[in-house]
Amino acid sequence: MGLITPGLGLIFWSALGFLIVLFLLTKYAWKPILAALDEREKSIDHALKSAEIARNEMSNLKAENEKIIQEAKIERDNMLHKASEAAKQMIDEAKEKAQLEGAKMIESAKAAINTEKLAALEEVKVQVGILSMEVAEKILRANLSTDAAQQKLMDDLLKDIKLN
């Protein structure tokens, strides 16, 4: 039974050794170990807080980027809308200008045609007059070559004249 139950001297020296080691550890090692643990805890807390701050900043940046992208899309849409309106306006102006030019050209052509028509009619009148004079001259020469024919013409003309 001696092996199972320790002796009083062994318990005393074991307790004394334990208390000395406990005293030495408390005096020299306990404070630095606790200080290191506190510092480690503080650094972990600081890292967690920094990570939280970084996460918040990232979410803020992401929201800001989304806002900037949305504004850029709106601005792009506005620019496209303005460009399409400007193009439509330019096309409408070009059509209107072309219609005005076409109308002017048509009016000018009508005026030129009318002028040419009047000139041609005048020329025809002159030619008809000349031809009529030549025909009348030939007829008169042929018919009035004798005195009897001249007298008959005068009588016919006098009959046609009605006196009041």
Side-chain angles (χ1 to χ4, degrees):
M1 212 128 149
L3 289 175
I4 298 178
T5 57
L8 190 58
L10 182 61
I11 292 175
F12 172 75
W13 288 112
S14 294
L16 182 66
F18 176 74
L19 289 176
I20 291 173
V21 169
L22 183 65
F23 173 74
L24 289 175
L25 284 176
T26 304
K27 182 154 180 128
Y28 295 108
W30 194 259
K31 288 182 183 177
I33 290 173
L34 288 179
L37 287 176
D38 283 342
E39 185 155 338
R40 177 74 177 148
E41 185 180 349
K42 287 179 183 176
S43 68
I44 290 172
D45 284 342
H46 180 71
L48 289 174
K49 287 178 183 176
S50 296
E52 185 66 29
I53 291 170
R55 186 178 8 200
N56 289 339
E57 287 179 4
M58 287 298 289
S59 66
N60 289 340
L61 287 175
K62 186 177 180 182
E64 189 175 324
N65 285 342
E66 290 293 327
K67 182 181 176 185
I68 290 171
I69 288 171
Q70 191 66 23
E71 288 174 358
K73 285 180 182 179
I74 291 170
E75 186 175 341
R76 180 200 66 199
D77 291 343
N78 287 340
M79 290 175 70
L80 288 174
H81 182 69
K82 286 179 183 178
S84 66
E85 284 182 3
K88 183 180 177 184
Q89 183 179 3
M90 289 173 72
I91 289 170
D92 289 343
E93 288 175 0
K95 282 181 182 178
E96 185 177 325
K97 187 176 179 181
Q99 287 177 348
L100 290 175
E101 289 293 323
K104 285 181 183 178
M105 290 175 68
I106 289 171
E107 289 298 320
S108 175
K110 283 182 181 179
I113 289 171
N114 198 21
T115 303
E116 292 293 323
K117 179 180 158 185
L118 292 176
L121 285 175
E122 192 63 35
E123 182 67 27
V124 168
K125 286 180 185 178
V126 169
Q127 291 295 326
V128 168
I130 291 171
L131 287 176
S132 297
M133 295 263 299
E134 287 177 359
V135 169
E137 181 181 346
K138 288 181 182 178
I139 290 174
L140 287 176
R141 282 192 184 161
N143 288 338
L144 301 178
S145 57
T146 63
D147 286 337
Q150 288 178 6
Q151 187 61 40
K152 183 179 179 202
L153 179 62
M154 290 301 279
D155 289 339
D156 289 337
L157 288 175
L158 288 173
K159 285 181 188 175
D160 287 339
I161 296 176
K162 295 183 181 177
L163 297 174
N164 287 345

